Amino acid sequence: MPVYNVAPYLRKCLDSILAQTYIDWEAVLVDDGSTDNSGAICDQYAALDKRFVVIHKENGGVSTARNCGLKAAKGEWVTFADADDELSQDALSIMCSGISDHIDIVIAGYKKNNELKEVTYEVTERYSDIKNQNDAILEIYNPSFYSYLGYICSKLYKNEILRKNDIKFDESILVSEDRLFLLTYLSVISGNAFFTTEPVYYYYLRNDSVMGDIKKNYNRNVLTEIIAMGKAYRMFKSLHFPNTVVNRSRKEILMSGYSILFLQKRTKNRNLSNTLETLFLMIREAGLFYAINSIFKQVIKKCKNK
């Protein structure tokens, strides 16, 4: 768990970990140079329960903190949590129940809540399934139930696979670094993925969060999402995955670009410089003719709708 200046929310998150019905866990709390009392709160919980392990480091960003936590993790399986969110009481029990022979990852559901703890998004249908590697990757790109499955949390990863393949968070990617990590992990598994829509994680949509700020004020850091999806595309292509996976990963580059162009427009940051920068990245990462063809189709589609 990366921890940085989240003192108002941290105790709620740590209490949700303490409340787990599954008790055989270790929580690695990485204080990423907090300037409030978040680090002291982590130390308090470590003194209260030895299952909490605290690492204090200079501020380097969420990916550096997660990589630091991964290096220290001793468990057979690894999951992630953000310090301003919460886990359901039976989160670890539900996810661990999906573990069996030939399962290399468990992917569970989530809920989104506002700051008043009101549920703003959830999937009520209960469904579970086992998918092979290719289908699991396609499920991340095109979820059957949830609108998005690229979050790093609400999932179990085998520590052995992480270490053997030296899988880490790309510290140069500032948006969608979690989805790139997840896709990289899926690219090397030899077993299957267990999916369940059972919610185990509560995301809180806060106005002062990084993503909350991006939704209100355009930040160039969001452009690294295009780069992240380009890296995923080239990874699947170099590993000779089926065309269904390669083509879908390539399409995601452009989808990320279009969403950024829409964000620029919505936040009134649509200008020639920002537009050209976004289009350049889309073309660079997806390929000139592929990107131009897609952009041309989008323009024709908009002209027909007017």
Side-chain angles (χ1 to χ4, degrees):
M1 177 191 294
V3 177
Y4 179 71
N5 290 355
V6 285
Y9 320 116
L10 183 55
R11 293 184 187 276
K12 291 280 188 180
C13 181
L14 299 181
D15 286 342
S16 76
I17 296 175
L18 276 175
Q20 291 300 301
T21 54
Y22 183 91
I23 61 174
D24 188 15
W25 52 261
E26 176 188 63
V28 181
L29 312 179
V30 183
D31 171 28
D32 190 33
S34 296
T35 56
D36 63 2
N37 66 330
S38 295
I41 293 173
C42 291
D43 290 335
Q44 291 171 12
Y45 276 76
L48 176 69
D49 193 311
K50 292 183 179 179
R51 292 176 295 179
F52 287 108
V53 176
V54 182
I55 299 172
H56 298 281
K57 63 181 284 294
E58 292 184 0
N59 180 253
V62 65
S63 289
T64 68
R66 284 172 175 160
N67 285 337
C68 183
L70 279 175
K71 188 175 180 180
K74 299 176 182 177
E76 182 180 354
W77 292 83
V78 173
T79 190
F80 296 89
D82 289 335
D84 57 348
D85 294 326
E86 296 175 28
L87 281 70
S88 68
Q89 189 173 11
D90 52 0
L92 296 180
S93 294
I94 290 172
M95 288 192 288
C96 286
S97 68
I99 297 173
S100 62
D101 292 341
H102 310 299
I103 293 296
D104 284 344
I105 185 171
V106 175
I107 300 176
Y110 59 86
K111 293 183 181 181
K112 290 184 179 181
N113 304 271
N114 60 25
E115 295 192 82
L116 299 176
K117 287 199 169 187
E118 299 168 334
V119 177
T120 59
Y121 177 84
E122 67 176 320
V123 171
T124 57
E125 184 175 350
R126 293 295 164 258
Y127 173 84
S128 62
D129 192 15
I130 294 176
K131 296 182 181 292
N132 63 30
Q133 182 189 36
N134 293 334
D135 288 343
I137 293 169
L138 292 173
E139 184 71 17
I140 298 303
Y141 283 119
N142 289 103
S144 302
F145 294 90
Y146 285 88
S147 60
Y148 185 74
L149 279 180
Y151 299 121
I152 196 66
C153 306
S154 71
K155 299 168 179 67
L156 286 181
Y157 310 82
K158 269 189 177 177
N159 205 357
E160 179 184 6
I161 293 176
L162 292 169
R163 293 185 182 278
K164 181 179 178 180
N165 296 278
D166 194 29
I167 298 176
K168 299 176 182 177
F169 288 88
D170 188 330
E171 296 175 10
S172 70
I173 301 297
L174 303 175
V175 175
S176 267
E177 78 288 342
D178 49 357
R179 185 162 46 149
L180 179 59
F181 177 95
L182 173 59
L183 292 169
T184 302
Y185 181 89
L186 287 171
S187 76
V188 300
I189 64 173
S190 57
N192 296 319
F194 178 84
F195 280 81
T196 177
T197 59
E198 192 74 34
V200 302
Y201 195 87
Y202 302 144
Y203 286 99
Y204 281 88
L205 307 176
R206 307 183 192 277
N207 291 327
D208 58 352
S209 68
V210 173
M211 292 309 297
D213 182 65
I214 287 176
K215 289 179 180 179
K216 292 184 297 181
N217 304 293
Y218 175 71
N219 187 320
R220 287 184 67 255
N221 289 343
V222 76
L223 292 170
T224 60
E225 178 179 339
I226 300 174
I227 299 171
M229 294 304 98
K231 289 188 174 188
Y233 160 62
R234 290 189 294 275
M235 173 183 67
F236 291 128
K237 186 177 180 180
S238 67
L239 292 173
H240 305 292
F241 270 78
N243 286 336
T244 51
V245 171
V246 174
N247 292 339
R248 184 59 188 83
S249 65
R250 194 180 197 182
K251 179 181 178 182
E252 193 66 21
I253 299 170
L254 301 183
M255 292 180 68
S256 295
Y258 292 138
S259 67
I260 292 170
L261 289 171
F262 176 75
L263 174 65
Q264 292 167 352
K265 181 179 180 181
R266 185 167 57 81
T267 57
K268 298 181 180 179
N269 284 278
R270 177 73 69 84
N271 55 52
L272 182 60
S273 176
N274 286 339
T275 298
L276 289 178
E277 185 175 27
T278 305
L279 292 174
F280 169 77
L281 284 175
M282 292 167 67
I283 292 170
R284 189 188 77 179
E285 299 297 325
L288 176 61
F289 295 109
Y290 182 85
I292 292 297
N293 182 54
S294 174
I295 293 169
F296 179 74
K297 288 181 178 178
Q298 287 291 322
V299 172
I300 294 299
K301 182 179 178 180
K302 287 188 175 181
C303 289
K304 288 183 177 179
N305 291 334
K306 286 184 178 181

